[in-house]
PDB file of all heavy atoms in Angstrom:
ATOM      1  N   LEU B 190     -18.240  17.873   2.501  1.00  0.00           N
ATOM      2  CA  LEU B 190     -19.491  17.464   3.132  1.00  0.00           C
ATOM      3  C   LEU B 190     -19.849  18.074   4.440  1.00  0.00           C
ATOM      4  O   LEU B 190     -18.870  18.346   5.130  1.00  0.00           O
ATOM      5  CB  LEU B 190     -19.571  15.926   3.146  1.00  0.00           C
ATOM      6  CG  LEU B 190     -19.403  15.176   1.816  1.00  0.00           C
ATOM      7  CD1 LEU B 190     -19.236  13.756   2.105  1.00  0.00           C
ATOM      8  CD2 LEU B 190     -20.675  15.501   0.851  1.00  0.00           C
ATOM      9  N   GLU B 191     -21.077  18.301   4.713  1.00  0.00           N
ATOM     10  CA  GLU B 191     -21.492  18.669   6.072  1.00  0.00           C
ATOM     11  C   GLU B 191     -21.554  17.400   6.830  1.00  0.00           C
ATOM     12  O   GLU B 191     -22.388  16.583   6.408  1.00  0.00           O
ATOM     13  CB  GLU B 191     -22.813  19.488   6.027  1.00  0.00           C
ATOM     14  CG  GLU B 191     -23.084  20.065   7.328  1.00  0.00           C
ATOM     15  CD  GLU B 191     -24.606  20.553   7.448  1.00  0.00           C
ATOM     16  OE1 GLU B 191     -25.274  20.588   6.392  1.00  0.00           O
ATOM     17  OE2 GLU B 191     -25.117  20.652   8.559  1.00  0.00           O
ATOM     18  N   TYR B 192     -20.813  17.221   7.818  1.00  0.00           N
ATOM     19  CA  TYR B 192     -20.719  16.007   8.635  1.00  0.00           C
ATOM     20  C   TYR B 192     -20.575  16.329  10.071  1.00  0.00           C
ATOM     21  O   TYR B 192     -20.370  17.436  10.474  1.00  0.00           O
ATOM     22  CB  TYR B 192     -19.584  15.118   8.112  1.00  0.00           C
ATOM     23  CG  TYR B 192     -18.314  15.721   8.524  1.00  0.00           C
ATOM     24  CD1 TYR B 192     -17.504  15.308   9.606  1.00  0.00           C
ATOM     25  CD2 TYR B 192     -17.663  16.731   7.670  1.00  0.00           C
ATOM     26  CE1 TYR B 192     -16.325  15.810   9.938  1.00  0.00           C
ATOM     27  CE2 TYR B 192     -16.445  17.263   8.078  1.00  0.00           C
ATOM     28  CZ  TYR B 192     -15.782  16.778   9.141  1.00  0.00           C
ATOM     29  OH  TYR B 192     -14.516  17.390   9.542  1.00  0.00           O
ATOM     30  N   ARG B 193     -20.691  15.222  10.897  1.00  0.00           N
ATOM     31  CA  ARG B 193     -20.549  15.410  12.327  1.00  0.00           C
ATOM     32  C   ARG B 193     -19.756  14.101  12.755  1.00  0.00           C
ATOM     33  O   ARG B 193     -20.197  13.004  12.352  1.00  0.00           O
ATOM     34  CB  ARG B 193     -21.889  15.439  12.972  1.00  0.00           C
ATOM     35  CG  ARG B 193     -21.894  16.242  14.246  1.00  0.00           C
ATOM     36  CD  ARG B 193     -23.297  16.331  14.787  1.00  0.00           C
ATOM     37  NE  ARG B 193     -24.009  17.492  14.298  1.00  0.00           N
ATOM     38  CZ  ARG B 193     -23.943  18.764  14.635  1.00  0.00           C
ATOM     39  NH1 ARG B 193     -23.091  19.016  15.610  1.00  0.00           N
ATOM     40  NH2 ARG B 193     -24.696  19.677  14.126  1.00  0.00           N
ATOM     41  N   ALA B 194     -18.746  14.306  13.566  1.00  0.00           N
ATOM     42  CA  ALA B 194     -18.155  13.196  14.194  1.00  0.00           C
ATOM     43  C   ALA B 194     -18.746  12.847  15.486  1.00  0.00           C
ATOM     44  O   ALA B 194     -18.810  13.724  16.432  1.00  0.00           O
ATOM     45  CB  ALA B 194     -16.665  13.400  14.401  1.00  0.00           C
ATOM     46  N   VAL B 195     -19.392  11.746  15.636  1.00  0.00           N
ATOM     47  CA  VAL B 195     -20.197  11.470  16.887  1.00  0.00           C
ATOM     48  C   VAL B 195     -19.653  10.253  17.556  1.00  0.00           C
ATOM     49  O   VAL B 195     -19.136   9.273  16.985  1.00  0.00           O
ATOM     50  CB  VAL B 195     -21.652  11.193  16.536  1.00  0.00           C
ATOM     51  CG1 VAL B 195     -22.312  12.377  15.748  1.00  0.00           C
ATOM     52  CG2 VAL B 195     -21.787   9.926  15.809  1.00  0.00           C
ATOM     53  N   ALA B 196     -19.656  10.344  18.920  1.00  0.00           N
ATOM     54  CA  ALA B 196     -19.065   9.173  19.776  1.00  0.00           C
ATOM     55  C   ALA B 196     -20.087   7.980  19.496  1.00  0.00           C
ATOM     56  O   ALA B 196     -21.328   8.229  19.358  1.00  0.00           O
ATOM     57  CB  ALA B 196     -19.225   9.592  21.250  1.00  0.00           C
ATOM     58  N   ALA B 197     -19.539   6.777  19.441  1.00  0.00           N
ATOM     59  CA  ALA B 197     -20.347   5.580  19.183  1.00  0.00           C
ATOM     60  C   ALA B 197     -19.943   4.577  20.347  1.00  0.00           C
ATOM     61  O   ALA B 197     -18.919   4.741  21.128  1.00  0.00           O
ATOM     62  CB  ALA B 197     -20.071   4.978  17.854  1.00  0.00           C
ATOM     63  N   ASP B 198     -20.796   3.640  20.289  1.00  0.00           N
ATOM     64  CA  ASP B 198     -20.596   2.490  21.383  1.00  0.00           C
ATOM     65  C   ASP B 198     -19.223   1.797  21.075  1.00  0.00           C
ATOM     66  O   ASP B 198     -18.891   1.488  19.960  1.00  0.00           O
ATOM     67  CB  ASP B 198     -21.825   1.552  21.257  1.00  0.00           C
ATOM     68  CG  ASP B 198     -21.808   0.516  22.416  1.00  0.00           C
ATOM     69  OD1 ASP B 198     -21.453   0.936  23.539  1.00  0.00           O
ATOM     70  OD2 ASP B 198     -22.150  -0.590  22.212  1.00  0.00           O
ATOM     71  N   THR B 199     -18.611   1.330  22.184  1.00  0.00           N
ATOM     72  CA  THR B 199     -17.444   0.588  22.034  1.00  0.00           C
ATOM     73  C   THR B 199     -17.591  -0.885  22.402  1.00  0.00           C
ATOM     74  O   THR B 199     -16.653  -1.679  22.287  1.00  0.00           O
ATOM     75  CB  THR B 199     -16.265   1.140  22.930  1.00  0.00           C
ATOM     76  OG1 THR B 199     -16.738   1.160  24.240  1.00  0.00           O
ATOM     77  CG2 THR B 199     -15.856   2.540  22.480  1.00  0.00           C
ATOM     78  N   GLY B 200     -18.779  -1.234  22.759  1.00  0.00           N
ATOM     79  CA  GLY B 200     -19.102  -2.624  23.024  1.00  0.00           C
ATOM     80  C   GLY B 200     -18.228  -3.229  24.047  1.00  0.00           C
ATOM     81  O   GLY B 200     -17.984  -2.481  25.050  1.00  0.00           O
ATOM     82  N   ALA B 201     -17.856  -4.469  23.864  1.00  0.00           N
ATOM     83  CA  ALA B 201     -16.990  -5.082  24.775  1.00  0.00           C
ATOM     84  C   ALA B 201     -15.690  -4.518  25.082  1.00  0.00           C
ATOM     85  O   ALA B 201     -14.993  -4.786  26.028  1.00  0.00           O
ATOM     86  CB  ALA B 201     -16.885  -6.615  24.470  1.00  0.00           C
ATOM     87  N   ILE B 202     -15.156  -3.791  24.001  1.00  0.00           N
ATOM     88  CA  ILE B 202     -13.849  -3.158  24.037  1.00  0.00           C
ATOM     89  C   ILE B 202     -13.758  -2.155  25.162  1.00  0.00           C
ATOM     90  O   ILE B 202     -12.734  -1.992  25.886  1.00  0.00           O
ATOM     91  CB  ILE B 202     -13.396  -2.547  22.665  1.00  0.00           C
ATOM     92  CG1 ILE B 202     -13.523  -3.529  21.586  1.00  0.00           C
ATOM     93  CG2 ILE B 202     -12.050  -1.895  22.717  1.00  0.00           C
ATOM     94  CD1 ILE B 202     -12.464  -4.425  21.279  1.00  0.00           C
ATOM     95  N   GLY B 203     -14.843  -1.400  25.409  1.00  0.00           N
ATOM     96  CA  GLY B 203     -14.761  -0.413  26.388  1.00  0.00           C
ATOM     97  C   GLY B 203     -14.054   0.878  26.016  1.00  0.00           C
ATOM     98  O   GLY B 203     -13.578   0.990  24.825  1.00  0.00           O
ATOM     99  N   GLY B 204     -13.971   1.856  26.902  1.00  0.00           N
ATOM    100  CA  GLY B 204     -13.370   3.051  26.588  1.00  0.00           C
ATOM    101  C   GLY B 204     -14.167   4.086  25.802  1.00  0.00           C
ATOM    102  O   GLY B 204     -15.308   3.620  25.573  1.00  0.00           O
ATOM    103  N   ASP B 205     -13.680   5.105  25.370  1.00  0.00           N
ATOM    104  CA  ASP B 205     -14.396   6.158  24.688  1.00  0.00           C
ATOM    105  C   ASP B 205     -13.896   6.429  23.262  1.00  0.00           C
ATOM    106  O   ASP B 205     -14.056   7.430  22.733  1.00  0.00           O
ATOM    107  CB  ASP B 205     -14.492   7.407  25.508  1.00  0.00           C
ATOM    108  CG  ASP B 205     -13.049   7.958  25.777  1.00  0.00           C
ATOM    109  OD1 ASP B 205     -12.139   7.295  25.325  1.00  0.00           O
ATOM    110  OD2 ASP B 205     -12.951   8.994  26.504  1.00  0.00           O
ATOM    111  N   ARG B 206     -13.140   5.372  22.796  1.00  0.00           N
ATOM    112  CA  ARG B 206     -12.485   5.614  21.459  1.00  0.00           C
ATOM    113  C   ARG B 206     -13.194   4.880  20.435  1.00  0.00           C
ATOM    114  O   ARG B 206     -12.848   3.915  19.778  1.00  0.00           O
ATOM    115  CB  ARG B 206     -11.103   5.126  21.467  1.00  0.00           C
ATOM    116  CG  ARG B 206     -10.225   6.131  22.317  1.00  0.00           C
ATOM    117  CD  ARG B 206      -8.781   5.981  21.898  1.00  0.00           C
ATOM    118  NE  ARG B 206      -7.990   7.102  22.651  1.00  0.00           N
ATOM    119  CZ  ARG B 206      -7.010   6.876  23.566  1.00  0.00           C
ATOM    120  NH1 ARG B 206      -6.764   5.584  23.978  1.00  0.00           N
ATOM    121  NH2 ARG B 206      -6.353   7.867  24.222  1.00  0.00           N
ATOM    122  N   SER B 207     -14.391   5.497  19.951  1.00  0.00           N
ATOM    123  CA  SER B 207     -15.092   4.939  18.886  1.00  0.00           C
ATOM    124  C   SER B 207     -15.943   6.116  18.395  1.00  0.00           C
ATOM    125  O   SER B 207     -16.771   6.744  19.148  1.00  0.00           O
ATOM    126  CB  SER B 207     -16.081   3.837  19.255  1.00  0.00           C
ATOM    127  OG  SER B 207     -17.059   3.552  18.213  1.00  0.00           O
TER     128      SER B 207
END
Side-chain angles (χ1 to χ4, degrees):
Chain B
L190 295 175
E191 191 196 341
Y192 69 95
R193 210 178 271 283
V195 304
D198 187 41
T199 54
I202 305 281
D205 56 1
R206 288 200 174 119
S207 170

